[in-house]
Every structure is written in structure tokens, then in C-alpha cells.
Amino acid sequence: MSAPLPPSWRWREDEVRALGERVAAIVAAHLAGLPSDPVFRPVPPAAASAFATAPLPLDGAPAGDVLARFVADVLPYPFGNGHPRFHAWVNSPPHALGVFAEALAAAMNPSVAGGNHAAVHVERQVVRWFADLAGFPSGSPGGTGLLVSGGSMATLTAFTVARHRATRAAGIDVRADGLQGLGRRCTLYVGAEGHGSAHKAAELLGIGSSNVRVIPSDAAHRMRPGLLRSALDRDVADGCVPLAVMATAGTVNTGAIDPLDEIADVCAAHGVWLHVDGSYGGPAVLLLDRYRRTRAALARADSIAMDPHKWLYAPVDAGLVLLRDATAARDAFSLVPAYLRTDGDPSGVGGPVWFSEFGFDQTRPFRALKVWMLLQHLGVTGYRDLIAHDIAVADRLAAGIEAAADLRLLARGLSVVCFRAAPPGCPADALDELNRRVLTDVQLGGRAFLAGTTVDGVFALRACVVNPGSGGADADAVVAEVLAALSRQR
Ligand SMILES: Cc1ncc(COP(=O)(O)O)c(C=O)c1O
């Protein structure tokens, strides 16, 4: 029996094209208009309440009407990343090609769990390119890697494999018995400036946040390898099972890069997994000559997290985890019994060993397309220039801060600049509160956007430049905005 297509599913090619052209026009106008719009404006209370109370539509509306509603109610209130004076957190603007790559990936809409379809091969290629850059083994039976939702998931994935390896060496099968059978305390080691996702991962993996050893930093906010060694010595003597050390190549707070070589020595001496969180700083370390020593040390890691959706300008989401030992990763995640596993089916339906055997997700999006397209479009040299540009803008911002008598530079690493207002004569114990007011003033002013943080125990303003559309004039304008806010708030 031939059933007619439901009316709401009847799309003619010209209708699809017209819809796409309209979307493309909206995208183009949005991206072009960003610099002249406020960096940030909060969603007005009436609009927020409309979102909170509008009922689920019973009857559908034409796609054009829905687009018009998006333009009126959603598009005017972005978070601000994309604007050349948005420097909060690590949120880059999307490259325009990445925006349209998302639509192309959705048009194909595969699940990249596995199979012999192009999306799988694209993701394998992307992983191989990064593995080559990082000096990691790629391809069977060496290393492996996969795209995930972000740095947090990359670290969770790496820790899962590390936990499996270490507990197996300690005599249990953590997949069958959880940590219950171990009867010993499992520990993780993270720098004081390490990202909170490591602690969340410890909680999710049943390790417990109280078993995360927080290793203090030196004056440059880098993990102290000597203290890491002592913590490991102590725990091993106490019968603990150290699972992994997480070092950071580009901390979110100050852009500090931990001394990876010395940390790798400590890990090697203890036979402990080294995970490097390069979610933010990884691309700079992999691409810029000035970080080649760090890069060489990075190649000693067991796993690396790196986020194309941060400093590679891919639209959210796109995280990457690289793993040195594909077999260990597969053992930790695969639900295919070892005796039934095959090494893939290169010419048939099954294709290479499925990604779903190396991570948590089964249905997986075609994240790789935007990364693959951007890597081809920009190339290594293009990316190198863009990242170097961002660092130069951060340098200019830092210089402006140092030149201002009322501002004090607190930390400077990669493209992060931490500083605060410290006008002469202002009592030291009033500075935190003053800087909080300055930050809110700047954020709501709509002409610049910074984040707040704590550096060496004091409240600070933090800028992270990950937008090649920002220039020296923007850096100068940010300094001027902060000084103007200071004069209003004093
Ligand atoms: C250094 C670092 N690690 C991990 C993360 C977490 O990454 P994601 O937000 O992509 O999960 C971030 C996020 O800013 C980060 O800067």
C-alpha cells in the first residue's frame, strides 16, 4: 500500500534551498553585526518569563515563522563570544565554515558509532592528524582517539581507561566488580590549578573527591613535581592504588603550563598514567615553535584532552581525547567480549573497529566534519597565525594594564591575562569587593566582557583571548572600559 507523505514532511528541493538561503542570510548578518552589537545584554525579564511559560505548540507553524521567532527572541541575546571584546572563559567564536559544516553534518546525520561510511573515516583521519601532531601513535594496534563533547568528557574517558588499567594490575576487574572488590583506596593527582572536571570525573568513577590529591603550585601557578612525587610515595607506602596524574597544558585560570617533562619522569618512576589536559592550551603547544619543549614532553603522556571547540574555533561541541594504548581503551569500554572482537572489516559493512568500543556513547554525532573542514581550510600555518595573533593581543592587553597606574597585572600565560584594579590609597581589604563591582559594571556595560576569578587568593579580572577578530584596538578599549568602570565604582 502506498501511503501519501504526511504534508509536514513534504519538502521540495526549492523549498529546502529557500530555507537554507534564509538561514545563511541570518548567519551572515549575525556574524557581520556582532562587533557593532553590545557584547552582552541579559535576556529581559519579560522575554525570560515568556520562555518559561509559553505552552508546547499543539499545531505546527511554517518554518519561516519559526525562523522569524528565532530572529526576534533568541538571536539578540547571545552570550557574547564572537564579539571582539568578549574575553571571558575559553569561548571562541565559531569559524563561519564550521557553522555551515554543522548543517552539512546534520544533512547526512549519521551515527558515528561505527560502520563503513564516510563519517567514520573522516573522524579517524582527524584523530590521526592530531595524533601525528602530538607525537602519539595512531592507527591499529597503536594509539586511538575519538571526538567527544568537550574537555570534561575527554578527561572522564581517559580516567576510565587509566582506572581500568591500574585496577587490573592491582588484581581486580573493575568492570565486573566496580571498585568494591579492591579493598584499597584509589587516588588521583591533580594540580591546584587543574580543571574541576577532573574532580567531577573522580566522583563519577567512584574514586571520590577526597581521594583526589591536589598538588600545590609554584609561584607561576604550575604543578610542583617534587610535591607530586612525595604524594605518590606516601600513598604507595599507605597501600593506595594511584590511578592517574593529570597535568595541564594551559590552565583555565592563568594559562600556566605544568612542567610536563618533570611530571612525566615522576609518572614513569611510579608507573602511573599521565593524562595531560590540553583542552585550552593544547593547540598552542602543538603548533607554536615557542612551546616545542612542552610539545616533546606532551608526547610522553598516556592520554591528552584537547578541545577543537576552544582554541581551534570549531562550533561547540568538539572535544578530543587521544589515547596512547588502543588496546587498553578498548578493554575499558568495549562490550564485545574479547574473544569475539575483530580488527574491523575494511571493505564490508562493519568498517574499522567501532568508535563505540572506545568510549561511552553509542550513537555519536558527526562532530569530525567541522574539525576536518577547518583543518583543511586553515591548515597548520593558518591556525598557527591565528593562535599567535590571539597571544599577541593578550600581550597588548597585559602591556596596557601594566601601563595603567590603577591596575595591577597578576598573571599572564598563553592568551590569559589576570589583573585587578588596585588604585593607590584603596585599603587592601576593600579591593576584592571593588573589583567585583568593576567586573559587573564592565559586563553589564555591553562594551567589553571579562570573567572573574581568584589568583593567589585574591579576586581578579580575567581575560582569555581566543578570537582572531580581536585586535590591538580592542585590547586598548578593554583597558579603557575597566578604568571607566573603576572611576564609576570607587
Ligand atoms: C583547562 C580546561 N580543562 C577542561 C575544561 C573543560 O572543558 P569542557 O568545558 O569542554 O568540558 C576547560 C574548560 O574551559 C578548560 O579550560
Side-chain angles (χ1 to χ4, degrees):
M1 180 194 121
S2 79
L5 280 179
S8 57
W9 203 252
R10 260 183 241 142
W11 282 97
R12 288 196 325 264
E13 186 181 340
D14 61 318
E15 288 175 323
V16 176
R17 187 176 313 113
L19 183 65
E21 282 167 2
R22 189 142 173 220
V23 171
I26 294 169
V27 169
H30 172 69
L31 296 178
L34 276 172
S36 48
D37 282 343
V39 186
F40 172 74
R41 57 186 153 205
V43 177
S49 127
F51 280 121
T53 54
L56 174 69
L58 200 55
D59 297 314
D65 292 3
V66 179
L67 276 184
R69 219 168 282 156
F70 166 77
V71 170
D73 298 342
V74 179
L75 201 58
Y77 309 110
F79 205 3
N81 50 318
H83 193 286
R85 290 191 299 282
F86 177 95
H87 298 316
W89 306 293
V90 197
N91 293 143
S92 57
H95 190 290
L97 180 59
V99 174
F100 291 112
E102 288 279 49
L104 296 171
M108 293 182 76
N109 204 30
S111 165
V112 197
N116 199 359
H117 55 102
V120 166
H121 295 276
V122 169
E123 182 160 343
R124 286 166 65 83
Q125 187 170 32
V126 164
V127 169
R128 178 170 57 77
W129 283 342
F130 281 108
D132 289 350
L133 277 173
F136 254 49
S138 65
S140 179
T144 189
L146 64 165
L147 292 172
V148 291
S149 56
S152 308
M153 186 49 107
T155 291
L156 179 64
T157 304
F159 281 179
T160 304
V161 184
R163 182 185 69 151
H164 189 259
R165 187 180 81 171
T167 50
R168 186 154 64 181
I172 66 154
D173 177 355
V174 73
R175 294 189 60 179
D177 301 325
L179 290 172
Q180 330 278 9
L182 190 60
R184 292 163 67 189
R185 194 172 279 269
C186 292
T187 47
L188 278 171
Y189 303 80
V190 178
E193 298 277 316
H195 193 263
S197 49
H199 299 259
K200 270 195 194 171
E203 293 171 12
L204 288 179
L205 290 171
I207 296 157
S209 54
S210 68
N211 297 309
V212 179
R213 309 295 190 231
V214 176
I215 309 301
S217 309
D218 62 16
H221 309 106
R222 308 172 331 147
M223 188 199 288
R224 293 173 62 184
L227 296 183
L228 171 66
R229 188 190 303 275
S230 315
L232 277 162
D233 286 343
R234 214 170 26 246
D235 283 339
V236 170
D238 287 348
C240 299
V241 179
L243 301 185
V245 171
M246 184 177 94
T248 305
T251 62
V252 66
N253 213 23
T254 67
I257 298 177
D258 287 336
L260 297 188
D261 224 7
E262 290 161 81
I263 292 170
D265 287 344
V266 175
C267 290
H270 279 86
V272 175
W273 185 286
L274 172 58
H275 174 64
V276 177
D277 178 9
S279 299
Y280 157 47
V285 169
L286 290 187
L287 296 176
L288 298 190
D289 258 9
R290 66 189 96 165
Y291 300 114
R292 64 179 166 276
R293 287 185 51 206
T294 303
R295 179 156 68 244
L298 190 67
R300 299 177 64 191
D302 293 287
S303 53
I304 303 174
M306 193 169 42
D307 275 350
H309 70 202
K310 290 192 166 65
W311 218 352
L312 292 172
Y313 320 109
V316 173
D317 65 14
L320 169 73
V321 59
L322 294 177
L323 294 143
R324 173 172 299 285
D325 182 349
T327 306
R330 202 174 176 190
D331 285 349
F333 281 108
S334 175
L335 267 180
V336 183
Y339 62 91
L340 285 180
R341 284 183 202 159
T342 67
D343 282 333
D345 171 18
S347 55
V349 176
V353 180
W354 283 39
F355 281 112
S356 52
E357 285 198 55
F358 296 94
F360 182 68
D361 291 321
Q362 184 62 31
T363 300
R364 302 177 65 254
F366 192 7
R367 290 189 182 98
L369 186 63
K370 56 197 169 194
V371 184
W372 184 76
M373 284 190 165
L374 289 177
L375 284 169
Q376 289 181 79
H377 174 58
L378 294 169
V380 164
T381 48
Y383 266 124
R384 204 172 264 153
D385 290 348
L386 296 180
I387 292 171
H389 167 91
D390 291 346
I391 294 175
V393 172
D395 283 338
R396 169 95 163 237
L397 182 58
I401 289 157
E402 288 192 299
D406 285 348
L407 303 180
R408 179 156 324 132
L409 187 67
L410 299 179
R412 173 79 193 90
L414 290 170
S415 64
V416 175
V417 184
C418 294
F419 65 104
R420 69 184 197 149
C426 182
D429 61 1
L431 285 177
D432 277 7
E433 185 44 38
L434 174 63
N435 277 279
R436 282 200 180 90
R437 290 203 307 274
V438 168
L439 177 65
T440 305
D441 187 316
V442 169
Q443 288 176 336
L444 292 178
R447 286 175 300 276
F449 200 100
L450 304 171
T453 189
T454 301
V455 175
D456 297 325
V458 301
F459 185 79
L461 312 184
R462 173 183 167 282
C464 178
V465 184
V466 282
N467 182 351
S470 305
D474 294 303
D476 298 346
V478 168
V479 174
E481 284 303 325
V482 171
L483 289 172
L486 174 62
S487 69
R488 285 189 291 272
Q489 297 298 331
R490 275 174 90 164

